[in-house]
């Protein structure tokens, strides 16, 4: 308990967070604090030595489990052994087995899944891909429908690719019904070749607005931008950048998905930053241990990207910037939240040092924090963002508040320049702790 | 006029480095569509005779010919001056020219062959082939060059002729300049859309002040030539 409290004090969180109410038990071996959501609803329970809670064996369950303390006993034999091993803690193992249990049900209980996933999805069993697909609504809860749903979506994506990526020559050829009048190049007949009329006034140099050729060349601009951004995505990762054909095929896939999204959504088209969000999704799906899923990662990632972006679209649409749903209003809501939780910090930031939240929060919000933390941390944050029942946008705002609160001591001591520099290059931090604080903000309200 | 001195030379050299940047950019733009089958647009034109017989390309042609759309230009010759060469270079960095008898640049080749996609193209001005514009003689030249499509000029009349050895295309005169044979010349040029084994030849002609576009389709069955 002492070590934990000392750690908390070092991070200088507000005093109300420091009360013993939140700290219920000695920390587990790797010093990670408890983040169980259930701690709030039920009585604070110990992580390892739990009162025996009746648990339905997952294999037998055919209906919804009873809504009691959600922290279930670990499955037989899984939890006890690996306590000493450095990497996955006992708690992680138990979460992993809970998730696996949940996923092996006939009908996945989404509420249950969200509760477990919001604590973080362990990297061990490679289940993140499936869990995210469930959370984003790409896979239905009923497992029996999975194969048909997947097949349907994947073929839909294939159709998109075929239709939207056709170059105008092919389109022109399909437009004209008669294709039998092609002369052969080296046949025995000779003579003047006859000129035929062009259909619909379509020719490559056409400048008409409805001309497929003209639209093709106009799209080239967007495609150029997508190409540039994709090449710059995560240059330090072999997955995305490098000379290997693997990296190239991944980049091609990213490009294709973004191009199709731009063509299907003329209102938003492509905005710089979408590549980062898509890259994270695609990485997770592509590393699915199941071979078939990994091979269809492109199609799956595309639809999940559409789903994820549907909540955040308004942030990318420039015309909506100043409206009630646009990015500016989101940023001002963040400001309001900070004022509620930590008025002193808010006052110091916005009034005294005049650090307008637009300077740092814009990137935090539109890119869903992918640029602020390293890759592994972003994955963990997204676990929480996607699984929280409040929805990704609300959760994101709470996490942003938590980020500010965690560095409050440095912010309170700094001026405009140093604060801005700090917030635009947010220091690496313990993500579990960050999410823990964000979670506490949910119930706390005003300090 | 032949030797360029001092300031003009420096400007031209500067222009060349800027040109290279633009060239790389345009090249990337024009070749961005990866995909499985790349569509290639080839502009064929010639016999402009600027400035002696015509001041410039017709305005309606110039408005259509914008950079970034065309991947290759093949020019039958008789530009005649460097300014036309530079203008064509701005449209597309990959420019191929054969020498016409009035060209001021003497270093253009008499004939040229190049491969674009699945097709082999040949280029020659045509004043060397006698009788001028005789299709059989041109067919002989084509067999000699061993190309699928031979592009020649000199007659200032658009023709597209098919024989056993391939196809001969004459894009006419892009400015409508008078020829050694006739004064009645409509400005014309040709844009070829090479897509796999198919070629669609779009013929652009300026008739009575209006641009008229026609097309000709043909294809080849095999990728390798029998010769």
């Amino acid at each position: 308990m002492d070590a934990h409290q000392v750690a908390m004090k070092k991070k200088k969180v507000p005093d109300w967070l420091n009360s013993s109410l939140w700290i219920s038990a000695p920390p587990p071996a790797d010093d990670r604090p408890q983040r169980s959501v259930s701690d709030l609803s039920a009585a604070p329970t110990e992580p390892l030595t739990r009162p025996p809670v009746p648990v339905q064996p997952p294999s037998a369950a055919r209906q919804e489990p009873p809504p009691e303390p959600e922290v279930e006993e670990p499955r037989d034999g899984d939890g006890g052994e690996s306590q000493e091993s450095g990497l996955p803690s006992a708690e992680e193992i138990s979460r992993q087995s809970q998730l696996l249990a949940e996923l092996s049900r006939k009908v996945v209980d989404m509420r249950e899944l969200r509760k477990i996933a919001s604590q973080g999805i362990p990297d061990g069993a490679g289940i993140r891909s499936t869990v995210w697909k469930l959370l984003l609504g790409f896979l239905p809860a009923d497992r029996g429908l999975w194969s048909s749903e997947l097949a349907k979506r994947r073929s839909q994506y294939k159709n998109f690719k075929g239709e939207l990526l056709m170059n105008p020559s092919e389109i022109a050829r399909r437009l004209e019904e008669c294709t039998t009048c092609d002369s052969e190049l080296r046949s025995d007949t000779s003579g003047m070749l006859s000129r035929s009329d062009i259909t619909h006034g379509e020719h490559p140099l056409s400048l008409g607005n409805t001309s497929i050729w003209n639209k093709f060349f106009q799209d080239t601009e967007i495609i150029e931008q997508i190409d540039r951004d994709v090449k710059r995505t995560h240059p330090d990762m072999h997955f995305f950048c490098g000379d290997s054909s693997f990296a190239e095929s991944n980049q091609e896939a990213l490009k294709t998905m973004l191009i199709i999204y731009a063509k299907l959504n003329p209102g938003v088209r492509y905005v710089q930053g979408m590549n980062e969000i898509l890259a994270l999704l695609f990485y997770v799906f592509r590393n699915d241990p199941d071979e078939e899923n990994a091979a269809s990662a492109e199609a799956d990632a595309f639809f999940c990207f559409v789903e994820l972006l549907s909540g955040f679209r308004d942030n990318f649409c420039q015309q909506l910037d100043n409206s009630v749903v646009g990015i500016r209003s989101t940023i001002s809501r963040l400001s309001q939240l900070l004022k509620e939780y930590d008025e002193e910090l808010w006052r110091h930031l916005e009034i005294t040092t005049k650090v307008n939240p637009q300077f740092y929060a814009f990137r935090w919000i539109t890119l869903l924090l992918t640029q602020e933390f390293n890759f592994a941390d972003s994955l963990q944050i997204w676990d929480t963002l996607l699984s929280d029942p409040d929805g990704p946008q609300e959760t994101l705002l709470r996490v942003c508040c938590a980020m500010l609160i965690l560095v409050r001591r440095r912010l309170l001591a700094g001026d405009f320049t140093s604060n801005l520099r700090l917030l635009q290059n947010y220091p690496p931090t313990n993500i579990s702790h960050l999410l823990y604080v964000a979670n506490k903000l949910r119930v706390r309200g005003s300090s | 006029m032949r030797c360029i001195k001092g300031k003009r030379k420096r400007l031209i050299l500067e222009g060349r480095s800027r040109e290279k940047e633009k060239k790389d950019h345009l090249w990337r733009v024009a070749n961005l569509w990866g995909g499985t089958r790349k569509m290639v647009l080839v502009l064929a034109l010639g016999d402009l005779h600027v400035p002696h017989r015509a001041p410039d390309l017709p305005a309606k042609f110039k408005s259509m010919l914008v950079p970034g759309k065309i991947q290759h230009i093949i020019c039958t010759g008789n530009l005649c001056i460097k300014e036309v060469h530079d203008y064509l270079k701005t449209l597309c960095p990959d420019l191929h020219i054969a020498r016409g008898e009035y060209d001021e640049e003497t270093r253009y080749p008499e004939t040229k062959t190049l491969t674009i996609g699945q097709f082999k193209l040949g280029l020659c001005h045509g004043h060397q082939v006698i009788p001028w514009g005789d299709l059989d003689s041109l067919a002989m030249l084509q067999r000699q060059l061993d190309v699928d499509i031979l592009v020649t000029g000199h007659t200032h009349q658009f023709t597209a002729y098919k024989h056993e050895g391939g196809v001969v295309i004459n894009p006419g005169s892009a400015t409508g300049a008078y020829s050694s044979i006739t004064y009645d010349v409509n400005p014309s040029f040709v844009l070829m859309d090479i897509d796999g084994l198919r070629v669609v030849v779009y013929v652009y002609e300026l008739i009575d002040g209006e641009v008229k576009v026609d097309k000709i389709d043909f294809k080849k069955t095999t990728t390798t030539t029998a010769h």
Side-chain angles (χ1 to χ4, degrees), chain A residues 173 186 191 195-196 203, chain B residues 148 162 195 198 204-205 215:
Chain A
R173 210 174 322 139
R186 288 185 191 251
R195 292 150 75 156
S196 46
H203 58 93
Chain B
D148 301 312
K162 190 174 84 63
D195 184 19
R198 280 197 64 200
Y204 293 79
E205 216 173 338
K215 70 178 173 68

Side-chain angles (χ1 to χ4, degrees), chain A residues 66-85:
Chain A
E68 22 177 60
E70 295 74 272
V71 189
E72 295 167 317
E73 290 267 30
R75 242 147 140 222
D76 313 320
D78 272 353
E81 286 136 37
S82 48
Q83 218 161 331
E84 283 83 45
S85 71

Side-chain angles (χ1 to χ4, degrees), chain B residues 24 38 139 175:
Chain B
D24 292 336
K38 256 207 221 178
T175 51

Side-chain angles (χ1 to χ4, degrees), chain B residues 4-72:
Chain B
I4 302 154
K5 293 199 182 117
K7 179 176 173 188
R8 218 171 135 203
K9 182 171 191 177
R10 200 174 53 243
L11 285 176
I12 290 173
L13 287 177
E14 278 173 32
R16 282 215 194 102
S17 69
R18 250 181 289 123
E19 237 182 85
K20 182 168 190 307
E21 275 176 34
K22 225 160 89 176
K23 159 187 177 173
D24 292 336
H25 166 80
L26 285 176
W27 188 248
R28 260 179 8 146
V29 164
N31 286 292
L32 260 179
W33 285 77
T36 45
R37 278 227 307 251
K38 256 207 221 178
M39 174 195 78
V40 183
L41 290 182
V42 183
L43 174 68
L45 79 173
D47 288 318
L48 296 101
H49 288 278
V50 173
H52 311 112
R53 301 187 195 177
D56 200 359
L57 285 161
K60 292 203 171 168
F61 279 0
K62 279 193 110 157
S63 66
M64 286 197 300
L65 291 171
V66 295
K69 297 186 178 183
I70 300 168
Q71 274 82 25
H72 307 274

Side-chain angles (χ1 to χ4, degrees), chain A residues 177-363:
Chain A
E177 281 75 22
C178 144
T179 46
T180 56
C181 34
D182 269 9
S183 328
E184 266 293 323
L185 187 64
R186 288 185 191 251
S187 61
D188 292 334
T189 60
S190 40
M192 304 298 292
L193 287 169
S194 57
R195 292 150 75 156
S196 46
D197 290 329
I198 50 173
T199 49
H200 311 289
E202 284 287 0
H203 58 93
L205 299 177
S206 163
L207 298 168
N209 280 332
T210 54
S211 156
I212 47 172
W213 288 93
N214 203 12
K215 280 201 272 216
F216 168 80
F217 288 120
Q218 280 173 354
D219 284 342
T220 314
E221 226 183 275
I222 302 228
I223 294 173
E224 215 198 355
Q225 194 182 4
I226 292 180
D227 187 54
R228 265 199 307 254
D229 286 344
V230 163
K231 288 206 160 66
R232 295 191 290 204
T233 311
H234 293 296
D236 49 327
M237 291 182 70
H238 282 292
F239 184 85
F240 290 110
C241 253
D243 293 328
S244 67
S245 62
F246 182 58
E248 273 184 39
S249 74
N250 290 337
Q251 279 189 354
E252 274 305 310
L254 280 180
K255 260 170 57 180
T256 314
M257 286 187 276
L258 289 169
I259 292 174
I260 294 182
Y261 185 80
K263 286 190 167 237
L264 288 177
N265 295 280
V268 181
R269 295 287 232 169
Y270 170 75
V271 179
Q272 208 175 18
M274 287 182 181
N275 58 318
E276 299 287 339
I277 300 179
L278 184 60
L280 203 68
L281 276 176
F282 184 64
Y283 178 85
V284 169
F285 294 163
R286 191 76 174 80
N287 286 319
D288 195 325
D290 176 65
E291 290 229 347
E292 200 194 319
N293 283 343
S296 316
E298 199 181 320
D300 298 346
F302 174 75
F303 286 112
C304 289
F305 176 68
V306 171
E307 191 53 49
L308 180 60
L309 225 59
S310 65
F312 291 98
R313 262 173 79 122
D314 298 333
N315 289 342
F316 286 100
C317 187
Q318 218 174 351
Q319 283 101 342
L320 293 176
D321 268 355
N322 292 321
S323 77
V324 175
V325 291
I327 183 67
R328 292 236 173 94
S329 93
T330 315
I331 293 182
S332 57
R333 283 222 342 267
L334 173 65
S335 195
Q336 271 303 105
L337 273 183
L338 181 66
K339 188 171 174 191
E340 266 178 53
Y341 295 144
D342 193 342
E343 175 143 6
E344 185 195 352
L345 179 62
W346 174 82
R347 194 173 300 283
H348 179 82
L349 264 187
E350 296 212 13
I351 316 263
T352 319
T353 53
K354 294 208 187 1
V355 177
N356 191 324
Q358 276 186 352
F359 298 150
Y360 56 86
F362 188 86
R363 199 173 70 171

Side-chain angles (χ1 to χ4, degrees), chain A residues 145-184:
Chain A
L145 296 175
W146 280 9
S147 51
S148 61
E149 185 69 26
L150 282 175
K152 190 173 73 156
R153 298 290 207 136
R154 286 165 184 175
S155 80
Q156 192 181 16
Y157 181 72
K158 214 165 108 186
N159 286 342
F160 283 152
K161 264 172 86 160
E163 278 170 27
L164 295 172
L165 295 187
M166 252 199 305
N167 63 41
S169 321
E170 292 177 44
I171 302 179
R173 210 174 322 139
R174 303 216 183 159
L175 275 182
E176 49 182 276
E177 281 75 22
C178 144
T179 46
T180 56
C181 34
D182 269 9
S183 328
E184 266 293 323

